[in-house]
Amino acid sequence: MSAGEEVEVDSTTSVDSSAEEATQLSELGFYVLAGAPKSPAELLDEVPTAESLGLGNAFISERFNIKEAVTLSGAVGAVSRRLGIATAATNHNTRHPAVTAAYATTMHRLTGGRFALGLGRGIEPLFDAFGIPRITTAQIEDFAQLLRRLFRGELVIGHDGPAGKFPVLHLDSSFDEDIPIGVVAFGPNTLSLAGRAMDMVVLHTYFTDETVERCVKTVREAAERAGRDPAAVRIWSCYATVHDGLPRELQLKKTVGRLATYLQGYGDLLVRTNRWDPEVLQRFRADSVVSAAPGAIDDKADAATLEHVAALLPPEWLEAAATGSPERCAERVLHQFDLGVDGVILHGASPGQLAPVVEAYRRIRPENRFDALAQNPGR
């Protein structure tokens, strides 16, 4: 899932250090370095702020710029004490399986078991441009099985499967690690993979309520067919959360700009998944401002462009997010659990920006509802 002058003004809310031991909200997460950060060092402040707020989990997306997942994971692990940590996602075919397995094991031990490895398909047009092979469902499943064997200390000889041919794979015969593996899912094939073979699944942003319910059903039913406990897979909703206390241009960037960027990259898939009108997508693509955009709209567009793009998108498309007052955002976040998910990633904003929403959420959070959730986002 995953230049130019940054237009974002990071309007944050200070967090009292006395709240450092606030009850951890294990059902909530956030993405480190949301949007287009100027420096990866920004997470060194974000992570302590998140822990002060009581946010339970930090998710790490990967881009081929200053958001390389292994480096960011280590940094988050080093400056956190309680946060669950997950990649959502990295790609299995950009590193050798022994390298990825060693990375996951290192993170697992560095954090005392707080880490989950999330895999994903990547963006196919970008992969094509870079000469990286496209990823299949079978490859992800085969790769996950290989990693679990390496986590258990096995010596793998002569592997020949969808993930590749490897004469020998081995880490350490003394290993017996239980490291959750997950996947970022969009279509039914990947959702079914999550149900039958994964510990965690992260749904895509801007899914309608009906789509979220359908995705949850697909995952749970696939788990049942595989003879697993349907509740064994932790399902995360990735939910754009942008309250109205932020500057107007920043709100547009994080809502209109973000959805428009998804439509630029894989609009057909998103429209088909949400069962939206494909003619709207065609009009969006044909628009002269959109077609002339020099890159990702959420990164490149100025306020006037974002206002223009907003007029191209139906209100119901933008409704698949938590917007409005912090109180309304909190209510929308809580409603996601009624759709069947186990966790909600408050997507698109930094912890400081999310503070008013988190405070409002605490006031309506059902007592004891989430007590059974583990600290690790993949359990």
Side-chain angles (χ1 to χ4, degrees):
M1 285 192 212
S2 305
E5 199 63 30
E6 177 65 60
V7 299
E8 178 168 337
V9 178
D10 188 1
S11 175
T12 61
T13 299
S14 61
V15 179
D16 191 333
S17 61
S18 65
E20 186 173 354
E21 296 303 329
T23 300
Q24 189 171 18
L25 306 172
S26 296
E27 73 275 19
L28 297 185
F30 73 101
Y31 268 97
V32 300
L33 302 176
K38 291 183 180 297
S39 168
E42 293 173 22
L43 71 78
L44 302 178
D45 292 324
E46 288 183 0
V47 170
T49 298
E51 289 202 318
S52 296
L53 286 170
L55 287 169
N57 302 274
F59 290 82
I60 297 165
S61 63
E62 185 164 48
R63 295 189 183 184
F64 300 129
N65 47 32
I66 58 170
K67 294 175 71 173
E68 192 272 335
V70 176
T71 307
L72 299 184
S73 299
V76 175
V79 298
S80 64
R81 296 183 298 111
R82 299 189 294 165
L83 281 173
I85 303 168
T87 53
T90 189
N91 306 123
H92 81 270
N93 62 345
T94 54
R95 301 177 186 89
H96 190 278
V99 175
T100 301
Y103 151 55
T105 309
T106 302
M107 279 299 302
H108 174 70
R109 294 196 176 187
L110 174 70
T111 62
R114 291 184 281 128
F115 178 73
L117 178 70
L119 304 172
R121 290 182 179 275
I123 301 174
E124 291 184 346
L126 182 62
F127 275 23
D128 293 345
F130 283 7
I132 302 172
R134 293 188 177 192
I135 294 174
T136 67
T137 303
Q139 289 171 351
I140 297 175
E141 186 166 9
D142 189 38
F143 187 83
Q145 291 170 350
L146 274 177
L147 259 59
R148 288 194 172 103
R149 295 178 65 184
L150 295 176
F151 294 159
R152 292 194 298 266
E154 291 187 28
L155 172 65
V156 180
I157 298 177
H159 180 83
D160 184 358
K165 296 182 178 181
F166 305 103
V168 177
L169 292 172
H170 185 58
L171 295 183
D172 189 316
S173 58
S174 69
F175 282 2
D176 186 16
E177 312 296 341
D178 180 16
I179 305 172
I181 301 176
V183 65
V184 174
F186 218 125
N189 289 340
T190 314
L191 291 164
S192 295
L193 164 65
R196 68 175 177 267
M198 296 293 177
D199 303 296
M200 170 187 77
V201 58
V202 176
L203 307 181
H204 200 273
T205 321
Y206 280 99
F207 274 4
T208 67
D209 285 3
E210 188 276 332
T211 298
V212 172
E213 288 182 312
R214 181 163 22 96
C215 290
V216 169
K217 182 179 179 181
T218 300
V219 173
R220 304 296 189 206
E221 289 181 347
E224 285 187 334
R225 289 194 298 271
R228 304 179 69 196
D229 177 358
V233 186
R234 190 161 174 179
I235 302 177
W236 286 90
S237 166
C238 191
Y239 198 48
T241 305
V242 184
H243 68 84
D244 60 9
L246 300 176
R248 169 66 177 170
E249 184 174 347
L250 185 55
Q251 292 180 56
L252 286 171
K253 178 180 177 181
K254 291 178 175 296
T255 54
V256 172
R258 178 55 56 90
L259 177 55
T261 298
Y262 294 149
L263 296 175
Q264 285 178 297
Y266 35 84
D268 293 299
L269 179 58
L270 182 58
V271 166
R272 185 168 61 249
T273 301
N274 276 328
R275 299 174 178 173
W276 285 338
D277 184 356
E279 291 186 5
V280 175
L281 176 62
Q282 296 311 312
R283 290 196 295 270
F284 168 83
R285 287 172 167 166
D287 181 81
S288 59
V289 173
V290 172
S291 60
I297 289 175
D298 68 341
D299 185 24
K300 302 287 188 179
D302 58 17
T305 300
L306 290 169
E307 293 282 8
H308 174 85
V309 172
L312 302 174
L313 302 176
E316 61 267 25
W317 288 23
L318 290 164
E319 183 64 16
T323 57
S325 69
E327 290 74 22
R328 182 179 187 272
C329 289
E331 291 170 357
R332 295 295 299 268
V333 168
L334 188 60
H335 174 65
Q336 288 290 292
F337 295 102
D338 296 331
L339 306 177
V341 302
D342 305 300
V344 179
I345 304 170
L346 309 181
H347 185 255
S350 69
Q353 293 165 345
L354 290 168
V357 177
V358 175
E359 291 166 5
Y361 176 83
R362 282 189 179 278
R363 292 194 290 269
I364 62 172
R365 183 181 188 243
E367 188 176 359
N368 303 323
R369 180 172 179 177
F370 305 108
D371 289 354
L373 289 177
Q375 188 177 31
N376 188 304
R379 300 195 190 285

